[in-house]
Amino acid sequence: MSQIVWWEIETPAPDVFQRFHGAMWGWVFEPAFADSELDADYWIIKVDGKSIGGLQRSVGNAHPHAGTRLYVEVADLEEVLREVQARGGQVERSRTALGGDDRWFATAFDPTGVSFGLWTSHPPTESPASDGR
């Protein structure tokens, strides 16, 4: 059976992408292929020393195009959406239920225009009700 073995993201602003996603998820970016036949602006994305994907400067500084959307699992969806905005990203779709009591998602754009998703099995945190005092 075939399985996904790698993923890549292209952006015209990899430095902005690295600052945003490094701060959001703790991703580390290791330069790669600069001295190879590829001669590419490319970084290996790592978490806890493990390679999880790649980042590449888009050719001709083109803006990101339609493709696969990655989803990151989070515990507190609303808190992460606030952080996305505080770091210069934009919320595309706020919490959306998929049915059942354990499936919600949201989508956002990072400051470079790359779309990504957020997934949680946690219900929204409810604000304490006002008691009229």
Side-chain angles (χ1 to χ4, degrees), residues 45-74:
I45 303 169
K46 294 186 169 192
V47 173
D48 297 328
K50 181 180 177 191
S51 300
I52 62 167
L55 168 64
Q56 181 172 321
R57 183 184 306 276
S58 53
V59 177
N61 286 328
H63 287 289
H65 54 277
T68 302
R69 178 180 288 142
L70 298 176
Y71 283 81
V72 177
E73 186 173 12
V74 300

Side-chain angles (χ1 to χ4, degrees), residues 5 8 11 20 23-25 27 52 55-57 62 64 72 87 98-99 111 116 126:
V5 296
E8 292 178 332
T11 179
F20 180 85
M24 291 294 302
W25 322 119
W27 293 352
I52 62 167
L55 168 64
Q56 181 172 321
R57 183 184 306 276
V72 177
R87 295 185 181 281
L98 292 174
F116 63 97
E126 306 233 358

Side-chain angles (χ1 to χ4, degrees), residues 22-38:
M24 291 294 302
W25 322 119
W27 293 352
V28 175
F29 300 86
E30 181 178 292
F33 309 127
D35 297 326
S36 73
E37 191 175 320
L38 289 175

